[in-house]
Amino acid sequence: MAVERYNHRTAEAHWQERWQEERCFEPATDQGRRKYYVLEMFPYPSGRIHMGHVRNYTMGDVIARYMRARGCNVLHPMGWDAFGMPAENAAIEKGVHPKTWTYENIATMRRQLQSMGLSLDWSREIATCDPTYYRHEQEMFLDFFAAGLVERKISQVNWDPVDQTVLANEQVIEGRGWRSGAAVEKRELAQWFLKITAYSDDLLASLARLDKWPDKVRLMQQNWIGRSEGVRFRFELEDEAGRPDTPLYVYTTRHDTIFGASFCAVSPDHELAKRLAVKLPEVAAFRRECEALGTSEEAIERAEKKGVFLKLYARHPFRRNVRLPVYAANFVLMAYGEGAIFGCPAHDQRDLEFARRYDLPVIPVVAPAEADPNTFAIGQEAFIEKDETEAVLINSDFLDGLNVVDAKREIATRMEQARIGERRINYRLRDWGVSRQRYWGCPIPVIHCNRCGIVPVPKNTLPVTLPDDVTFDQPGNPLYRHPTWKHVNCPRCGAAAERETDTFDTFVDSSWYFARFCAPRSERPTDLAATGYWMPVDQYIGGIEHAILHLLYSRFFTRAMRRTGHIEIDEPFASLFTQGMVIHSTFRTRKGEWIVPAEAMEKDGSWVHVSTGEELIVGPPEKMSKSKKNVIDPETIIEQYGADTARWFMLSDTPPERDIEWTESGVSGAWRFTQRLWRLINDISTLPLPEKDPPPGHHEASLALRRSIHQTLHAVGLDIESLRFNRAIARIYELANILGAGFGSLKAAPISPSVFHEGAGILVQMFAPMMPHLAEESWKVLGRQGLVAHAAWPVADPALLLEDMVTIAVQVNGKRRDEVTLKKGLPASEVESIVLKLDNVRRAVDGRAVRRIIVVPDRIANVVVG
C-alpha cells in the first residue's frame, strides 16, 4: 500500500506542542554536567522575520540539538534588541506609540520563530526595552561611573538641524541626514562616553587568544583598535613676516619621511584653524564647508582633498632654511593623533592628491633598493613600500641609504636628543560615545543639579523609566520637551534639578544581554553562579556586519563588568561564526519598477510578469532587501513546504560562511527529499525484525551496509562540530541513497532487516538536528520510544570505521583549498577525477587550464593551473 505523503502542517504543529509540554529545551544550572551555550545574535523586532533569520537561527539550532544529543546541558535562549530609531520613525509616520509598535512586532516574530521548530528556551526571553532588563543596565552604568569608566565631555557630532538629533556616521548620506535630507552640521555637544580606550592594549593583545574566531574578524578588530608606534614632535610656526606663533605638534608613524615634507596641515576643527577663522574669512568659510562632510572617516576619505592656506609656515626641524606652508585640510582628522600632520606627498596618496591640487613639491625620499635615486620619481600614485627592511632612504641627508626601520629609529633618536619630540604609542580607537538624543532608548540614570553638578540616580530608585505620554509632532527628543518627566529634585541637596534626557546607544543594550540570559530573572544584573557556569558563550553566530562594533563593545563591556564585580571572565565569546547572506535575483519592469519574485515566472528561457506577461529585466543575485523587493517571505515558505524543508535548504549545497542563493528549484528539491526520506523510513518500518542473527550467507552484504552507516555517522558528527552543515547533508543524502538501493535489491543481495532498522534509526538521528519534526514523526513510525529530542547521539562502532579510508588535503597551486575522504590506495586517475569536481577546487581554478595534478598517494592532491 502506498505511503501517505508526509503532512508537515499537522506534524510540525504537533511536535512543537509536545516539545513545549515536556519543556525539552529549558536547562538548569547543573555543575555535574558539561555545559554548552550556543547563541545567535538576537534580532531587532522590525515586524517579520526574513530569510537571513531562518538561516542564522537554523545553524544555531542544529548545533544546540546536536550538543544536547551528545549529552551536554545546552543553553539556547532568545530575546529582542528592541530599542532604536525605527520605532520612533513608526511613531512619526504611523501615529503609533513606539512601545505598542515594538511589542506587536515581537509577538509576530515570536510566533514566526516558533513555527520554525527552534529548540529555544523561551522561558528566558528578554526584551531590551523592558524596564526589568534596562534597570540592570542603568545599575551597571552607575557602577562603571563609580569605577572611573564613564566620562561626560564635549564632543563633535553629526547634527541634523531638522530632526534636531545627533546622527551616527552611518546615518549621514552624502552630507545629509538619512531621514530629513537636511545638510548635516558638525556640532560640539556634551556627550556621555564609556572609556573603552582604557582597555586598548588588552583588547588588542587578547585577540591572539581568540583562536576560534575567523581571522578576518580578528584583523578587522585589530585595524579598528589601530595601535601604532610613532613620534610626537613639534614644528616652530611663524607668520609670513617671520614672527613666531604657537608651536604645532604632530603625531606620525612615518617620521622617516621628514625630508620629503612639503606642507603641514591641521584639521578644520584644530584650535589653530578655529583661532584664525576669527580674522580670516576664507578660513571661516572653509570650516563651514567642511561641516557638511560629517564626521565619518569614509566620507572624509571619499571627499576631494581640499584646504585653505592659514598664512603660516612651519620651520623644518632639520633644514632650518626650509619653510613649509600650513593649511587647514578637510582630510585631517581631529580625532586621530594631534589633529595635525606634515604632508609627504611622495609616500601618502592623500598628501599626493592635495599637493597636486595646490602645486606643492613632491620629493621622493623612499625608493626600492635597486632604484636610481637620481631618476626615481612619483607619478599619479604615491610609493608605498611593501617591506620596510628592503626600501631605502634617498634625498634625506643623514638618513640616505638606511632602510625604513633603521631610518625611523635614527630620526626618533635625533628628535629626542634635540628635545623636539618623543616616541609615542597611539591608537585609532576612541572612547565610546553612548549619548543619543531620542526617546526610544534606555534613559541614562543621572541628574543635573545646579548646586551639586552631576548626581547619579540612587540605585534604590531604579529603574528610571520612560514616560508613556510623549508626542512626536515636533522634531527633536520628546524627553527634552516633556512637561514633567525631566523635572526632579536633586537626591543630594533636594533642590530643583533635571534628569538627563539623552538615552543610551542601542549597542549598550546588546553588549551584555548574553550574560543576562544566564539568569534572566535575577534581582541583580547578573548571577555570578549562573554566569560562572554558563559563560563564556561556546558558539556565537551572526553576520559579518557586526564584526567590529558589536563584538568590540561586548568585549569591552565584559571587562568593565568584571572590574565592577558583575562577571568573572574577560572574553564573552569563545567561538565565533559569521554566516553568509541569503541572496536572490532582482526583477524590474521596463519602467524600472521593482517587483517581488512571486510576480515573476520563467517562460521560454526568459522571465515575465505573472499577470501582464511583460518581459522583465533580471538582475544578478544580491542581498535580499525590501527596497529592491527581492525578498522571500519565510512564513509563506513554511506554510507551503514546511519548516523542515526551509531549514534543510538553508543548510544544503552552500558552505555556511558563504552567501546562499534562494531558488524555487532548490527549495522544491529539498521538499522532495523530505518526502523521499518519509517513504524510505516507512518502507523500512515494514521489515520484520528477525528473532536471531542472519545466516552466514547474509553476512557480507549486511556488514558492508553497516560499515556505510557507521562511517557516515562518524563523519556527520565531525561535520556538525566543525559547522560544515552542507557536507553533513551531502553524507545524509548519500546514506539515504545507499539504504534505498539496498532495500530495493533485497532479493538480489539479501541484507538482514535488523541492519535496515539500525540504519533507519541512525539516519533519523542524523537529520534530526536539521529536520526535527520529520525526525520525530519518523522515530514514531520506527516504533522507537520517547522523543528524538531526548535521545542520545548514536555511537559509531570503532570496528566498522577501520576500513581503509583516508582524508587527503586538496591544493590548487600549492594552496590548501579543501579535503576529501577516499579509500586508501585509490588510483591516481580516480583521485584526479574526484578532486576536480570539488566546489572549492572549481572556484579556485576559475576556468584556467589545468596543467597537471600531482597526487601523493593517501596524502595530498595538488592541482597545478596555468
Side-chain angles (χ1 to χ4, degrees):
M1 187 174 78
V3 178
E4 286 188 13
R5 177 181 290 180
Y6 172 66
N7 187 335
H8 66 266
R9 292 184 179 86
T10 58
E12 292 181 354
H14 168 74
W15 293 112
Q16 288 167 17
E17 184 177 349
R18 179 79 180 275
W19 295 329
Q20 184 176 2
E21 288 173 354
E22 299 201 18
R23 303 174 72 175
C24 291
F25 314 125
E26 298 181 16
T29 300
D30 184 350
Q31 298 293 344
R33 292 180 64 192
R34 177 192 167 197
K35 69 92 179 180
Y36 195 88
Y37 186 177
V38 57
L39 182 66
E40 306 90 346
M41 294 179 185
F42 65 168
Y44 179 78
S46 57
R48 300 185 69 80
I49 65 171
H50 52 68
M51 281 301 174
H53 291 131
V54 174
R55 192 181 196 199
N56 190 31
Y57 299 123
T58 297
M59 289 180 186
D61 197 50
V62 169
I63 299 167
R65 288 179 178 273
Y66 173 77
M67 295 307 293
R68 278 193 203 92
R70 292 298 304 271
C72 290
N73 191 24
V74 174
L75 176 59
H76 187 207
M78 175 55 68
W80 310 95
D81 193 7
F83 274 136
M85 279 300 293
E88 290 197 43
N89 292 340
I92 295 169
E93 297 165 10
K94 302 175 183 178
V96 60
H97 194 282
K99 181 191 291 186
T100 303
W101 183 84
T102 299
Y103 279 101
E104 286 178 352
N105 289 349
I106 287 175
T108 298
M109 292 178 69
R110 182 193 300 116
R111 174 183 57 78
Q112 292 176 317
L113 288 174
Q114 288 173 338
S115 74
M116 289 175 58
L118 302 170
S119 62
L120 293 164
D121 181 359
W122 287 101
S123 72
R124 295 175 185 257
E125 181 182 10
I126 58 177
T128 59
C129 64
D130 190 324
T132 62
Y133 178 84
Y134 69 70
R135 72 168 274 209
H136 300 295
E137 187 167 296
Q138 292 172 341
E139 181 178 339
M140 284 195 293
F141 175 82
L142 296 179
D143 290 342
F144 292 0
F145 188 87
L149 292 172
V150 175
E151 183 179 15
R152 190 169 189 261
K153 59 185 177 182
I154 301 297
S155 172
Q156 190 179 84
V157 297
N158 302 311
W159 180 259
D160 187 315
V162 172
D163 283 347
Q164 295 183 24
T165 185
V166 169
L167 300 179
N169 286 332
E170 295 76 16
Q171 295 171 319
V172 179
I173 302 172
E174 296 182 354
R176 296 185 176 274
W178 66 286
R179 186 174 63 190
S180 71
V184 169
E185 302 171 358
K186 286 182 183 176
R187 281 199 182 179
E188 290 187 339
L189 295 179
Q191 303 277 286
W192 287 98
F193 289 84
L194 295 181
K195 294 185 179 180
I196 189 172
T197 56
Y199 292 94
S200 296
D201 272 329
D202 185 28
L203 289 167
L204 183 62
S206 297
L207 287 171
R209 301 201 307 267
L210 299 177
D211 55 356
K212 294 181 180 178
W213 283 37
D215 289 341
K216 62 182 177 181
V217 173
R218 292 194 291 175
L219 180 60
M220 291 165 75
Q221 291 218 351
Q222 177 182 315
N223 292 339
W224 189 264
I225 297 169
R227 183 183 189 276
S228 63
E229 297 182 6
V231 172
R232 178 182 184 264
F233 71 98
R234 72 176 182 270
F235 285 98
E236 301 299 333
L237 293 189
E238 57 189 52
D239 64 15
E240 292 175 300
R243 292 184 293 266
D245 205 308
T246 306
L248 177 67
Y249 286 88
V250 302
Y251 170 82
T252 180
T253 60
R254 292 307 309 266
H255 35 293
D256 57 303
T257 65
I258 187 64
F259 288 100
S262 61
F263 67 94
C264 287
V266 300
S267 164
D269 298 299
H270 193 280
E271 286 302 318
L272 184 62
K274 289 181 180 179
R275 172 164 60 86
L276 292 175
V278 175
K279 61 180 181 180
L280 298 176
E282 64 271 28
V283 177
F286 181 72
R287 293 190 70 243
R288 287 194 297 271
E289 179 184 342
C290 291
E291 287 178 354
L293 276 179
T295 62
S296 78
E297 291 185 34
E298 182 184 3
I300 292 170
E301 189 66 32
R302 287 199 315 264
E304 184 181 7
K305 306 304 178 285
K306 293 182 179 180
V308 60
F309 180 45
L310 298 181
K311 298 185 178 179
L312 291 174
Y313 292 89
R315 283 284 178 187
H316 194 288
F318 296 102
R319 288 179 173 166
R320 300 300 296 173
N321 61 327
V322 173
R323 297 202 312 173
L324 309 175
V326 182
Y327 294 81
N330 63 357
F331 63 91
V332 181
L333 298 171
M334 191 62 217
Y336 183 77
E338 301 291 324
I341 66 165
F342 74 82
C344 181
H347 307 292
D348 183 285
Q349 192 62 33
R350 295 173 309 171
D351 294 352
L352 181 61
E353 292 174 22
F354 189 84
R356 297 296 190 203
R357 181 184 182 95
Y358 295 103
D359 197 25
L360 298 168
V362 177
I363 309 165
V365 290
V366 181
E370 68 276 9
D372 182 351
N374 297 313
T375 58
F376 184 73
I378 302 298
Q380 295 304 310
E381 291 189 9
F383 172 69
I384 311 295
E385 70 285 347
K386 294 180 180 179
D387 187 336
E388 290 189 346
T389 63
E390 293 185 0
V392 298
L393 274 289
I394 61 174
N395 303 322
S396 296
D397 204 317
F398 53 82
L399 299 178
D400 284 350
L402 296 178
N403 65 34
V404 171
V405 174
D406 292 339
K408 285 183 176 181
R409 186 181 302 113
E410 176 64 22
I411 204 73
T413 298
R414 295 206 180 204
M415 285 181 171
E416 288 176 334
Q417 289 173 344
R419 296 186 178 181
I420 61 171
E422 60 182 356
R423 290 175 174 88
R424 282 276 182 93
I425 293 174
N426 207 352
Y427 295 89
R428 181 180 180 273
L429 182 66
R430 291 294 174 262
D431 282 332
W432 174 12
V434 295
S435 297
R436 296 294 181 268
Q437 291 71 37
R438 61 166 175 246
Y439 165 74
W440 195 235
C442 173
I444 298 177
V446 295
I447 292 169
H448 299 277
C449 175
N450 288 333
R451 295 180 184 175
C452 304
I454 293 172
V455 181
V457 171
K459 286 186 179 181
N460 62 1
T461 66
L462 295 178
V464 178
T465 56
L466 294 167
D468 289 330
D469 56 336
V470 290
T471 60
F472 296 88
D473 54 349
Q474 302 175 46
N477 184 357
L479 294 177
Y480 183 77
R481 61 174 183 271
H482 192 281
T484 60
W485 180 82
K486 69 178 180 179
H487 299 292
V488 293
N489 292 328
C490 174
R492 284 186 186 163
C493 70
E498 289 190 357
R499 293 190 187 281
E500 173 65 68
T501 57
D502 286 355
T503 55
F504 281 133
D505 176 9
T506 55
F507 274 121
V508 175
D509 311 330
S510 59
S511 290
W512 72 285
Y513 76 108
F514 41 85
R516 186 64 183 168
F517 273 139
C518 298
R521 309 298 170 240
S522 171
E523 287 301 309
R524 294 291 315 280
T526 61
D527 180 297
L528 286 179
T531 55
Y533 176 70
W534 289 113
M535 292 295 292
V537 175
D538 294 280
Q539 184 63 66
Y540 198 38
I541 304 173
I544 192 70
E545 67 272 18
H546 298 298
I548 297 177
L549 294 184
H550 164 60
L551 293 172
L552 190 62
Y553 292 156
S554 296
R555 295 179 64 218
F556 157 71
F557 220 87
T558 304
R559 285 162 168 77
M561 290 170 69
R562 177 169 185 168
R563 180 165 168 177
T564 51
H566 293 289
I567 205 166
E568 295 177 337
I569 61 170
D570 286 336
E571 291 294 345
F573 312 120
S575 180
L576 173 70
F577 185 80
T578 55
Q579 86 282 0
M581 296 183 295
V582 183
I583 60 176
H584 197 292
S585 299
T586 58
F587 300 95
R588 281 187 299 163
T589 66
R590 294 295 172 183
K591 294 180 180 179
E593 299 168 335
W594 301 104
I595 68 166
V596 296
E599 296 176 337
M601 70 175 185
E602 196 170 11
K603 183 179 180 182
D604 300 329
S606 61
W607 287 86
V608 298
H609 197 290
V610 170
S611 302
T612 66
E614 175 191 356
E615 188 170 345
L616 300 172
I617 302 170
V618 182
E622 55 183 279
K623 179 182 178 182
M624 290 186 179
S625 69
K626 292 180 181 178
S627 61
K628 295 186 178 180
K629 295 189 176 181
N630 63 332
V631 293
I632 301 293
D633 185 354
E635 198 162 17
T636 301
I637 297 301
I638 291 172
E639 169 63 25
Q640 182 177 354
Y641 294 105
D644 282 348
T645 295
R647 291 165 61 116
W648 186 260
F649 174 74
M650 280 298 176
L651 299 170
S652 61
D653 298 333
T654 305
E657 70 275 10
R658 297 180 182 274
D659 295 346
I660 181 173
E661 182 179 358
W662 178 272
T663 63
E664 186 68 25
S665 60
V667 72
S668 61
W671 179 81
R672 286 193 299 271
F673 184 67
T674 65
Q675 298 299 328
R676 186 152 65 90
L677 282 175
W678 177 242
R679 290 192 300 271
L680 175 62
I681 298 300
N682 275 270
D683 286 344
I684 292 175
S685 72
T686 64
L687 292 175
L689 283 169
E691 296 180 1
K692 58 181 181 179
D693 291 338
H698 289 217
H699 179 72
E700 187 175 339
S702 295
L703 183 61
L705 180 55
R706 288 199 74 224
R707 185 175 286 117
S708 294
I709 292 166
H710 282 258
Q711 288 177 351
T712 301
L713 170 62
H714 176 71
V716 165
L718 294 177
D719 287 336
I720 293 176
E721 289 174 15
S722 59
L723 280 66
R724 297 175 178 174
F725 306 118
N726 59 311
R727 289 192 182 186
I729 283 176
R731 298 185 203 277
I732 292 171
Y733 268 114
E734 184 178 357
L735 180 60
N737 289 337
I738 292 171
L739 285 169
F743 185 87
S745 60
L746 270 174
K747 292 181 181 179
I751 300 172
S752 170
S754 63
V755 176
F756 281 106
H757 277 274
E758 178 190 27
I762 289 175
L763 179 67
V764 168
Q765 287 190 265
M766 285 193 298
F767 69 68
M770 296 87 162
M771 296 191 289
H773 311 88
L774 178 63
E776 296 288 7
E777 202 75 13
S778 300
W779 198 246
K780 184 175 72 171
V781 166
L782 289 172
R784 304 300 174 91
Q785 298 300 309
L787 296 170
V788 179
H790 287 158
W793 190 257
V795 178
D797 186 341
L800 297 175
L801 303 180
L802 297 178
E803 184 183 359
D804 291 338
M805 301 293 288
V806 64
T807 299
I808 70 169
V810 181
Q811 300 177 338
V812 176
N813 285 350
K815 187 172 183 179
R816 188 186 180 100
R817 296 293 185 179
D818 212 330
E819 62 182 37
V820 65
T821 301
L822 307 167
K823 286 185 179 180
K824 283 186 178 179
L826 202 65
S829 59
E830 291 188 39
V831 175
E832 293 172 7
S833 176
I834 291 169
V835 301
L836 287 176
K837 293 176 182 176
L838 295 173
D839 288 342
N840 289 342
V841 171
R842 289 186 355 231
R843 275 190 287 269
V845 171
D846 195 25
R848 293 175 290 176
V850 176
R851 293 167 49 196
R852 58 178 174 150
I853 303 177
I854 303 170
V855 177
V856 179
D858 300 334
R859 291 183 60 193
I860 197 168
N862 182 24
V863 180
V864 181
V865 297

